[in-house]
Amino acid sequence: MIIDVHGHAGPWFFSTDVGSVELNLALMDRYGIDRQIVSASEAVTYDVVAGNRWLAEVLRTQPRLLGYVVVNPNDLAAAARELEKYRPSGRFVGVKVHTTYSGQPLLSGAVRDALALAADAGLPVLVHTWDESVLGLVDVLERLPRLRVIAGHMGGPAWRAAVEAAGRSDRLYLEPCCSITDRGRFRYALDRIPLAQLLFGTDSTLVDPAIAMGVVLEADLTDEEYEHVMWRNAARLFGIGPGATA
């Protein structure tokens, strides 16, 4: 069993040969991924309302895919409406906040307020993290006791800071998809934070899942570590699939 907690569906505005949901499924089959939680690329980069609406249609016919409701911190009223619209379906199991495309720094008041909306909705949030500001999420989590955050890309080049942050809060999770493939990065995390806080994510279809697979498998996981990282922790966090209550 493998659950990928960081996927995308739909085309990007720059030149990559992705866009079809069939590619998501083909890559999942190639790498043995059973379930994938995706955000609409259109919602992340351009139009939240149109992108979330498109993804809702996709999810109706693709049982292996689950969704993130993308919210834009620049429009909290619209974010609240999107959460109210899609959360009841059960097909959207988390919230996605992208700091770069929204132009809002990770620790801005707008992002904090968007995270508060997700916390009130009871949904985990996947947040784009790419520098040492990831440490500031610890304070945000302390202020919002219902909030659960996945640090997307494990902080990117600031992965040591992300590990430090996760060590300070048991509601901060790390997933490894990244173009930064420093040797030993995932084992460094495994040796320093509770196993329950590590997840598997690929950034597919923007990035081939082979990269994240290599980052994780290079860590020489034990059978127990592999099981928890690759699906059990995600099943518990999102309440999906086998082991959701294990």
Side-chain angles (χ1 to χ4, degrees), residues 43-44 48 52 68-76 78-83 94-99 102 111 113-115 117-118 125:
V44 171
V48 165
N52 286 335
Y68 287 108
V69 180
V70 177
V71 300
N72 187 333
N74 295 295
D75 190 343
L76 295 174
R81 289 194 297 270
E82 292 297 285
L83 287 168
V95 176
K96 174 67 178 282
V97 177
H98 202 294
T99 53
S102 68
V111 169
D113 291 344
L115 295 178
L117 285 175
V125 190

Side-chain angles (χ1 to χ4, degrees), residues 123-139:
L123 295 175
V125 190
L126 174 61
V127 181
H128 179 83
T129 62
W130 202 257
D131 56 38
E132 294 197 357
S133 64
V134 67
L135 283 165
L137 285 174
V138 176
D139 292 334

Side-chain angles (χ1 to χ4, degrees), residues 16 43 53 104 112 126 141 145 148 157 173 187 207 216 228:
T16 56
R53 182 172 59 238
Q104 287 287 350
R112 182 196 60 224
L126 174 61
L141 286 157
R148 295 163 294 162
Y173 300 80
R187 174 48 62 184
V207 176
V216 171
H228 280 79

